Amino acid sequence: MIALADKITKSFGGRVLYTQATLQLNAGERWALVGPNGAGKTTLLKIIMGQESPDEGTVSFAKDTTVGYLVQETKIDGEKTALQEVVDSAQEVKGWERRVAELEAKISTTQPGPELDRLLEDYGHAQDRFERLGGYELDARARQILGGLGFPIEDFDKPAADFSGGWQMRIALSKLLLRHPDLLLLDEPTNNLDIYHATNMMKIVRRLCDELGKTVILVLHEINYAAFYSDYICALQDGRVAKFGTVEEVMTKETLSELYQVDFKIMTIAGRPLSIYY
């Protein structure tokens, strides 16, 4: 187990989103949260992330688990290059880098004595912390991540504002991956993307699990993306977990028709149950 949301109850504006909802996440799993608008999908991500508190219940993690959260609307500094946008997102590392530089400047102007001894001790600590956080490899790691997400080398120094929405989403994901999170919470990562970019984003998510062992929870509106790229689907509706299980258990005509109040037809493509709705 990497994370457990146990018996979560949450109301919003007098409306119950869910009662006694329990989700256990294991390493390497891909989860999709689906359901009608207002069912509480994003709220559940925020509860897991710790940005909101449940009315009842607890969220716990395995020891040393790190969590990354990709929100719906990405924030990109248009004046920075793609590479610099990713590198500068490592705030803790950059903070220790500044501290090392500050101490070096003070040491260069301080005479031998107790004050210099103290500065040298602080400098050693700051340099060790910077190294432990991967500061000396930060630029190389950022380049590796960008390349892994499909950016050609010549685009690393291209202004981030010049990229389309799909590629800006990849920049945002690169910033997240630079922190080595064990659990990724992705809130509608295909939002406002065309079919080509949305499909590529979902393929990237699948690779994160298959190749890097990441655990991923996605909020998705497109039920077929949930079916094709997830291991488990959790459907929220009317203040409850309406259905939870494997893709095959949730992707049925009866479940989806009740969930979305439209007619569904289920077919199997590449071994996965996919839907037509009308």
Side-chain angles (χ1 to χ4, degrees), residues 200-253:
N200 280 336
M201 177 59 68
M202 295 306 301
K203 290 178 179 178
I204 288 169
V205 170
R206 182 161 60 187
R207 280 178 40 221
L208 292 175
C209 294
D210 294 345
E211 298 176 14
L212 302 179
K214 303 294 184 185
T215 303
V216 180
I217 307 178
L218 306 109
V219 169
L220 292 170
H221 276 301
E222 176 47 67
I223 191 68
N224 284 329
Y225 282 144
F228 202 79
Y229 294 101
S230 302
D231 300 313
Y232 300 96
I233 297 176
C234 178
L236 302 175
Q237 181 190 36
D238 298 333
R240 62 191 176 92
V241 175
K243 186 73 174 181
F244 164 73
T246 64
V247 171
E248 290 75 16
E249 289 171 335
V250 177
M251 289 290 294
T252 67
K253 172 182 173 63

Side-chain angles (χ1 to χ4, degrees), residues 12 23 45 49 61 79 81-82 103 127 140 142-143 157 163 167-168 171 189-190 194 196 223 233 238 240 267 278:
F12 186 78
L23 304 175
L45 286 194
M49 189 64 193
F61 300 93
E79 296 183 0
T81 66
L103 289 168
Q127 197 172 42
R143 290 175 179 272
D157 295 321
F163 290 94
W167 287 97
Q168 287 190 3
I171 294 174
T190 60
D194 59 29
Y196 174 81
I223 191 68
I233 297 176
D238 298 333
R240 62 191 176 92
M267 61 182 62
Y278 52 94

Side-chain angles (χ1 to χ4, degrees), residues 49-177:
M49 189 64 193
Q51 293 184 357
E52 289 197 21
S53 299
D55 300 331
E56 297 178 13
T58 59
V59 176
S60 57
F61 300 93
K63 185 179 179 181
D64 298 326
T65 296
T66 55
V67 184
Y69 182 26
L70 183 66
V71 299
Q72 290 185 33
E73 300 298 330
T74 59
K75 294 181 180 180
I76 299 295
D77 187 337
E79 296 183 0
K80 294 181 180 179
T81 66
L83 178 62
Q84 199 61 50
E85 179 75 13
V86 176
V87 170
D88 287 351
S89 69
Q91 292 298 318
E92 185 178 7
V93 178
K94 302 300 287 186
W96 284 109
E97 183 179 42
R98 289 190 295 270
R99 180 60 175 161
V100 167
E102 291 169 0
L103 289 168
E104 286 177 344
K106 289 181 180 179
I107 288 170
S108 67
T109 59
T110 301
Q111 298 298 316
E115 177 63 15
L116 180 59
D117 293 340
R118 184 187 66 78
L119 288 173
L120 288 171
E121 182 178 354
D122 289 347
Y123 178 73
H125 171 71
Q127 197 172 42
D128 179 67
R129 185 62 179 158
F130 178 69
E131 183 176 1
R132 286 176 179 273
L133 289 171
Y136 293 109
E137 298 84 32
L138 187 63
D139 187 83
R141 283 173 49 218
R143 290 175 179 272
Q144 183 182 33
I145 292 170
L146 283 169
L149 293 185
F151 287 87
I153 294 175
E154 58 269 23
D155 279 356
F156 290 0
D157 295 321
K158 181 178 174 180
D162 290 353
F163 290 94
S164 67
W167 287 97
Q168 287 190 3
M169 182 66 77
R170 294 194 197 195
I171 294 174
L173 185 57
S174 298
K175 292 161 63 175
L176 202 61
L177 294 175

Side-chain angles (χ1 to χ4, degrees), residues 11-28:
S11 298
F12 186 78
R15 183 169 58 86
V16 176
L17 294 180
Y18 20 78
T19 302
Q20 299 286 297
T22 295
L23 304 175
Q24 178 176 312
L25 311 171
N26 299 308

